[in-house]
Amino acid sequence: MPKISSKGTAMPHSPIRKLVPYAEKAVANGKKIYHLNIGQPDIETPKIALDAVKNHGLNTVAYSHSGGNQSLREKLALYYAKHNIHVDYEDIIVTTGGSEALIFTMGSITDPGDEIIVPEPFYANYYSFSTQSTVTVVPVISTIDDDFSLPPIAEFEKHITHKTKAILICNPGNPTGYLYTKEELKQLTDLALKYDIFLISDEVYREFVYDSGSKHYSILEEESLKEHAIVVDSVSKRYSMCGARIGCMVSKNKRVMETAMKFAQARLSPPSFAQIASEAALDVEETYYEEVVAEYKLRRDTLINGLKKIPNIKVSIPKGAFYCMVELPIENSEKFAQWMLEEFSDQGETVMVAPAAGFYSSLNAGKNQIRIAYVLNTKDLKRATEILALALEAYLKR
Amino acid sequence: MPKISSKGTAMPHSPIRKLVPYAEKAVANGKKIYHLNIGQPDIETPKIALDAVKNHGLNTVAYSHSGGNQSLREKLALYYAKHNIHVDYEDIIVTTGGSEALIFTMGSITDPGDEIIVPEPFYANYYSFSTQSTVTVVPVISTIDDDFSLPPIAEFEKHITHKTKAILICNPGNPTGYLYTKEELKQLTDLALKYDIFLISDEVYREFVYDSGSKHYSILEEESLKEHAIVVDSVSKRYSMCGARIGCMVSKNKRVMETAMKFAQARLSPPSFAQIASEAALDVEETYYEEVVAEYKLRRDTLINGLKKIPNIKVSIPKGAFYCMVELPIENSEKFAQWMLEEFSDQGETVMVAPAAGFYSSLNAGKNQIRIAYVLNTKDLKRATEILALALEAYLKR
């Protein structure tokens, strides 16, 4: 039989999705599952976006420009201007989700064997995309004890070699919920400039910031990073339209964008209907964001209040995004997550969580942690937290 | 300034799109251009598909299954059954265009430095995707003198090394229009089995076969290739919905599909609205294909009749797809194509063609050839051929 590639073998299974068969079995057996495991918001997509697709006037669904429709790119530039990010539409390539923006970025700046430094825990698919590009993720560990703030910059510097092409951050963070301060970003900026490497920032949760006084800063606001900053973005979370598959790659570095455009041309164009939806979504009123963020803040607070009642766990208070990392008084959170699906229920209900080990690349790191996505309404979230508490109690008593 | 990757630098510019700035300038100067350069059909997308999107009932545009909606995969399996291809829905992964099916295929079976043998000339983006995967395309040249039929199998065998992971064909061919015979496919089958390598077939033009008596054969019909055959497919051409970005990867090799699914999970899911359109399109009546194929046959015949009147050119008669390779009595077809845009016009009109060198990876091959996509209506096609004849005459007289 012909052989699978080494990279194909090395590609990780999604840490979020590998429990799915157990969940399917639980559902088949009549259990109700509260899904705390996946970042699929239940919030409705703005009507203006859904309607734009309903009213599409296409007769032939033709290829668009490989960089995306110019009208969409121009609107994105206006959107960024509101966030103090001043870019031209040509500094933007529309991609098929933030995923493709990451793939184009890695393709444009790394060759096989190159390294990218990433604060850990990190979005699991960074590891998938780097494996796909045969690039090595070099983790710098951040800890739950200080809510996963930026590790000492010396830790990054220690890992910089001639193979290091970039530092990649997620801000606000998935899975940490951490929001980098202006000072932390300044430290990363100085480091990127000192070693002349790229700073990549995944800012798909830009709007999801909850505490008064805290503010999201983009690396694109930093003038000195003009040639070094690459932002990965997406409409998936912002407008609750994960399935549309529209994201973008933004950089003022012309050579990076010219190179990324060659990757974009190879795959021809981003999806047409989704571009229509995204362009319309950019017209939502400011109150949309305010309402959505207020709802997520309520959910975060509900979750945290619920978790505070569970003894012997450690909770990292998320400042943004919609994830929360929790350390449990157990050895292996994957076994616990599976056990909750297979063997536990309270009044016929259970919860599904994401074991956190998949968000670490260091061996054995995060094995006693879970990631909770607070994408359910507060009533369900309350109940889910209650079930989690009961499950943990029962698990420890086995 | 931080550096671009070697692979990013090596990524080719699209041979079809690099003349675009000259075309834009021509249009700005008031010239009308007949586009023979790109495979964007003018045929309307089936109304049933456009309407399905208009009537979408989504409130939250959520991630779909990473392999695509099960209902779509099941319908695709039924579609294939009609073409004597018997696969289960789990043998199909829905991808973002045929492009992504190629990327998943290469990722699943090749590592950096591996080789894929491809009859040349070939679809230019095969070269892009292999560059992206740092895989080497090993060309086996086919010639215009026998309409680009399969080169002697000994030529393939000569190039097989321990690095060879697959042979990749396009059937019917872009840019050649060649339709492989059952005997030719048998030869490739035997070779793939002998050396235990994969046979990848890009069959996105399956329906576009014009001559009575000629028939498309899929490599998936060959039972002995169960573990070796991978088909790349797309709805783009079949339903004239290139912009939707829905394709699929089909194989009965379970390990290949399990591996490809990990690549699919990393990018989360294919686009939702486009899946709705594609599922509906699969319900078009058989008469849709008949009418479309009849129209393309007419276009092919119109084009060939027009080209026959041009002296000193060589025309490969296409049996399928909607491309035609033409050899011109000139040295450099890229210069000629640029000249037609910049310096030539007849009654304010000119044509744009694709220089064929971009479809070859052998140095200097195909430099006197062009690819014509016959995606215009017959009236425009007649006129475009007339302009091409006048332009060539003028170019030779310069």
Side-chain angles (χ1 to χ4, degrees), chain A residues 5-8 11 17 40 43 45 50 56 59-61 63 66 107-108 111 129 242-243 245 262 266 269 272, chain B residues 5-8 11 17 40 43 45 50 56 59-61 63 66 107-108 111 125 242-243 245 262 266 269 272:
Chain A
S5 63
S6 303
K7 82 157 79 154
M11 277 291 281
R17 299 197 177 202
Q40 168 56 59
I43 301 279
T45 306
L50 297 171
H56 78 79
N59 290 316
T60 300
V61 186
Y63 291 124
S66 294
S108 300
D111 286 305
F129 297 132
C242 298
R245 311 312 300 131
K262 293 193 284 182
S269 68
S272 291
Chain B
S5 62
S6 304
K7 81 158 80 155
M11 276 292 281
R17 297 196 179 203
Q40 169 56 60
I43 301 277
T45 307
L50 297 170
H56 79 79
N59 290 314
T60 301
V61 186
Y63 292 124
S66 294
S108 300
D111 286 306
N125 286 326
C242 298
R245 311 312 299 131
K262 292 193 284 181
S269 69
S272 290

Side-chain angles (χ1 to χ4, degrees), chain A residues 4 52 126 181 230 233 309 343:
Chain A
I4 297 302
Y126 294 164
T181 64
I230 303 174
D233 208 346
K309 292 177 197 150
E343 305 193 26

Side-chain angles (χ1 to χ4, degrees), chain B residues 85-135:
Chain B
I85 297 168
H86 300 286
V87 290
D88 188 64
Y89 85 90
E90 288 184 314
D91 301 326
I92 301 168
I93 291 176
V94 176
T95 55
T96 308
S99 306
E100 196 180 55
L102 271 163
I103 292 170
F104 288 176
T105 298
M106 289 199 186
S108 300
I109 67 169
T110 64
D111 286 306
D114 282 346
E115 297 172 357
I116 293 182
I117 300 177
V118 190
E120 161 178 83
F122 51 75
Y123 176 50
N125 286 326
Y126 294 164
Y127 191 71
S128 304
F129 297 132
S130 59
T131 303
Q132 192 166 339
S133 295
T134 47
V135 162

Side-chain angles (χ1 to χ4, degrees), chain B residues 23-36:
Chain B
E24 285 171 348
K25 211 168 164 190
V27 170
N29 292 339
K31 255 187 228 181
K32 175 176 174 176
I33 300 175
Y34 291 92
H35 286 275
L36 301 175

Side-chain angles (χ1 to χ4, degrees), chain B residues 128 149-150 164 265 271 281 340 356:
Chain B
S128 304
S149 66
L150 193 75
T164 309
Q265 285 176 353
M340 285 200 292

Side-chain angles (χ1 to χ4, degrees), chain A residues 91-370:
Chain A
D91 302 326
I92 301 168
I93 291 176
V94 176
T95 54
T96 308
S99 307
E100 196 180 56
L102 271 164
I103 292 171
F104 289 175
T105 298
M106 289 199 188
S108 300
I109 66 169
T110 64
D111 286 305
D114 282 346
E115 296 172 358
I116 295 182
I117 300 177
V118 190
E120 158 178 85
F122 52 75
Y123 176 51
N125 286 326
Y126 294 164
Y127 191 72
S128 304
F129 297 132
S130 59
T131 303
Q132 192 166 338
S133 295
T134 46
V135 162
T136 305
V137 163
V138 177
V140 171
I141 204 153
S142 64
T143 72
I144 197 165
D145 296 315
D146 56 5
D147 292 342
F148 302 103
S149 66
L150 193 74
I153 207 77
E155 288 301 308
F156 287 88
E157 195 156 12
K158 221 161 70 179
H159 288 93
I160 291 179
T161 72
H162 68 282
K163 289 183 178 172
T164 309
K165 293 301 148 79
I167 296 169
L168 165 60
I169 58 171
C170 185
N171 184 30
N174 172 5
T176 65
Y178 188 73
L179 179 73
Y180 290 111
T181 64
K182 204 171 181 179
E183 289 65 39
E184 286 171 325
L185 292 175
K186 184 78 182 80
Q187 289 183 295
L188 288 169
T189 297
D190 292 344
L191 194 68
L193 292 174
K194 179 173 175 185
Y195 290 95
D196 204 18
I197 56 178
F198 290 100
L199 182 58
I200 309 165
S201 182
D202 174 346
E203 302 183 352
V204 305
Y205 299 98
R206 180 179 299 110
E207 278 81 3
F208 299 86
V209 170
Y210 307 119
D211 298 318
S212 62
S214 69
K215 183 181 166 331
H216 177 263
Y217 292 100
S218 172
I219 58 167
L220 286 171
E221 294 178 66
E222 178 53 55
E223 184 58 30
S224 65
L225 279 182
K226 190 167 180 275
E227 304 294 346
H228 298 76
I230 303 174
V231 160
V232 166
D233 208 346
S234 165
V235 302
S236 293
K237 314 293 176 172
R238 194 188 305 155
Y239 304 117
S240 197
M241 41 197 276
C242 298
R245 311 312 300 131
I246 289 293
C248 64
M249 173 179 172
V250 193
S251 177
K252 296 182 205 171
N253 182 315
K254 299 288 175 208
R255 282 205 61 210
V256 165
M257 295 312 279
E258 278 163 25
T259 306
M261 191 63 90
K262 293 193 284 182
F263 289 88
Q265 284 176 352
R267 64 68 162 124
L268 304 167
S269 68
S272 291
F273 293 118
Q275 288 190 77
I276 292 173
S278 301
E279 192 172 327
L282 283 159
D283 282 333
V284 289
E285 316 229 337
E286 286 299 317
T287 50
Y288 173 82
Y289 302 108
E290 288 161 17
E291 284 165 22
V292 169
V293 170
E295 172 64 22
Y296 276 110
K297 180 174 160 48
L298 196 63
R299 290 174 180 195
R300 180 199 63 168
D301 297 343
T302 304
L303 174 71
I304 300 299
N305 286 335
L307 292 174
K308 273 187 179 158
K309 292 177 197 150
I310 306 178
N312 301 317
I313 68 168
K314 233 182 244 181
V315 181
S316 163
I317 311 291
K319 295 170 175 59
F322 37 64
Y323 306 98
C324 177
M325 291 282 281
V326 181
E327 195 165 292
L328 304 176
I330 57 172
E331 267 188 21
N332 185 320
S333 64
E334 187 173 327
K335 279 188 187 157
F336 173 60
Q338 186 180 330
W339 177 86
M340 284 199 293
L341 294 170
E342 280 196 301
E343 305 193 26
F344 179 79
S345 72
D346 178 66
Q347 297 170 44
E349 300 181 337
T350 192
V351 297
M352 184 167 173
V353 297
F359 302 105
Y360 289 84
S361 71
S362 294
L363 209 62
N364 293 322
K367 284 189 87 167
N368 58 350
Q369 297 175 354
I370 56 170

